[in-house]
Amino acid sequence: MNTAPQAPTYTALVQELADGGLLTARWRQVFDAVPRSGFVPAEVWRQLPDRCEPVVGTEAWLALVNSDEPVVTQLDDGAEGGPGVATSSNSMPSMVARMLGLLEVRDGQRVVEIGTGTGYVAALLCERLGDDLVHSIELDPDVARQAEEALAQAGYRPHLRVGDGEQPWPGLGPVDRLIATCALRYIPYALLRQVRPGGIVVAPLAREFWSGALVQLHVQDDGTATGPFRGGATYMPMRSHRVPDLHHVHGKGRARAAGLDPALLLDLGFALYAGARLPGVRLIHQGTDGGVQVWATREDGAAATAATGEDVWQYGPGFLWEEIEQTWWEYETEGRPDADQFGLTVTDRGQQVWLRDPSEAIRPARG
């Protein structure tokens, strides 16, 4: 009797997405018609917490491609001999399904995708809407070429362009939907100007206070856009939106007892609140045997690091950890709102995070 585990299949993966409520009947048909394997190159890596691991062998490749995991398809922007940082990927299928659902496309609507990547999302959109209604832009010429070849091999010919996705598509005119498959630090207002009133923008934001969050914006008649956050989302940043994880730190360390378990800071709702109250503060984390360790910095050289069950160390001017703790107590006073109670408004003057209602913008704690 053969007791070996069955290799995962794409059909089973799509069924898993449907069972999880991520696919409508129409999107189920689309996903069934567009196998992911046609858009994943032979050389790929699996993203681990601290590195990218090469995937060796056909069976391992198929197992990864037919699983609900991201597949890293490029390291170090394609340069040889780099540190091995993931710079392009085929996104997690459940995340793709979530984003396409939030896009709320209808027959006959024109869509722009920022970040063609492997071409998989563009293929899904072509299957749903037809080639002529799908436009996709990619900054990296090599990635764009591979995507175009994969799309043509699968029988799809959307409008493709090599260029900076932060800038509007010249001569395109207004579109109905815009989806970004790379993380943005902010929503460029120039992109909103390309979406007609009533249109929808779906994009992952890379918030400085550690979090990645998905936002769904509805474009208004006056050209502004507002809408809710729709859960966490971790995407590789647009190249022009990349920033170092932490600022430079100044001064000697000062220890004090922690009044707050740093693990509490990793709640997405708090990350959105703190990101608005403490603009410019960057925070990263990693797991430890006893819980979690966090590092926070600000551009003036202030910094703090804390680990579960240990003292806090602070550096540079001011008392950054006290500011973070104060922000936590404010958040607790608000009732620890979930991430889905927060939203974003984007205008030609910038963007503001709000809580529960667009009129309730969260103001920075510092001048």
Side-chain angles (χ1 to χ4, degrees), residues 61-366:
W61 184 91
L62 274 172
L64 179 59
V65 170
N66 291 329
S67 69
D68 190 25
E69 290 187 47
V71 180
V72 176
T73 56
Q74 185 196 65
L75 301 180
D76 306 315
D77 295 326
E80 297 290 336
V85 176
T87 51
S88 190
S89 70
N90 185 288
S91 301
M92 192 177 191
S94 59
M95 181 61 67
V96 172
R98 278 178 56 198
M99 293 181 73
L100 291 175
L102 290 171
L103 205 59
E104 299 180 13
V105 295
R106 303 288 183 265
D107 292 347
Q109 292 183 331
R110 292 207 299 170
V111 178
V112 169
E113 177 196 20
I114 309 300
T116 310
T118 64
Y120 180 56
V121 173
L124 292 166
L125 287 167
C126 285
E127 181 68 25
R128 173 65 181 84
L129 296 169
D131 295 358
D132 197 48
L133 293 174
V134 178
H135 300 72
S136 186
I137 184 168
E138 171 61 49
L139 180 65
D140 189 304
D142 290 333
V143 172
R145 175 184 52 78
Q146 293 169 17
E148 184 174 18
E149 292 172 356
L151 283 159
Q153 184 68 28
Y156 301 109
R157 285 179 168 75
H159 301 277
L160 300 176
R161 182 169 176 263
V162 177
D164 182 0
E166 190 171 0
Q167 303 301 320
W169 190 306
L172 178 59
V175 300
D176 302 284
R177 300 288 188 269
L178 185 147
I179 181 171
T181 53
C182 53
L184 309 174
R185 284 191 292 123
Y186 56 88
I187 303 294
Y189 185 70
L191 292 182
L192 291 186
R193 301 288 293 175
Q194 194 148 9
V195 181
R196 70 176 74 253
I200 293 175
V201 175
V202 175
L205 292 188
R207 307 293 296 172
E208 286 190 302
F209 203 89
W210 89 264
S211 64
L214 199 61
V215 70
Q216 181 192 45
L217 300 174
H218 297 261
V219 179
Q220 311 297 308
D221 289 340
D222 62 0
T224 64
T226 191
F229 285 101
R230 298 293 196 180
T234 302
Y235 272 80
M236 295 169 196
M238 179 183 283
R239 291 190 187 182
S240 60
H241 286 223
R242 292 175 181 171
V243 294
D245 283 337
L246 297 172
H247 302 91
H248 292 295
V249 177
H250 303 299
K252 296 181 179 180
R254 312 179 298 276
R256 52 149 281 197
L260 189 69
D261 184 346
L264 293 172
L265 307 185
L266 306 187
D267 177 87
L268 182 58
F270 176 68
L272 293 171
Y273 184 81
R277 287 288 284 159
L278 303 172
V281 174
R282 297 179 188 161
L283 186 140
I284 63 173
H285 74 283
Q286 71 175 21
T288 66
D289 291 341
V292 69
Q293 182 167 9
V294 301
W295 293 264
T297 64
R298 190 167 50 218
E299 62 183 6
D300 63 1
T305 182
T308 301
E310 299 182 13
D311 286 347
V312 173
W313 283 84
Q314 297 187 96
Y315 304 82
F319 298 93
L320 184 55
W321 187 256
E322 277 85 342
E323 293 181 47
I324 292 172
E325 285 186 333
Q326 175 60 36
T327 304
W328 168 264
W329 302 127
E330 293 174 8
Y331 174 70
E332 189 168 65
T333 300
E334 291 284 355
R336 298 193 188 186
D338 293 333
D340 60 8
Q341 296 185 59
F342 292 86
L344 186 74
T345 295
V346 183
T347 73
D348 59 354
R349 298 179 301 278
Q351 59 183 36
Q352 288 186 313
V353 175
W354 44 263
L355 175 59
R356 301 189 181 96
D357 187 276
S359 64
E360 299 297 327
I362 302 171
R363 306 297 180 186
R366 295 164 62 91

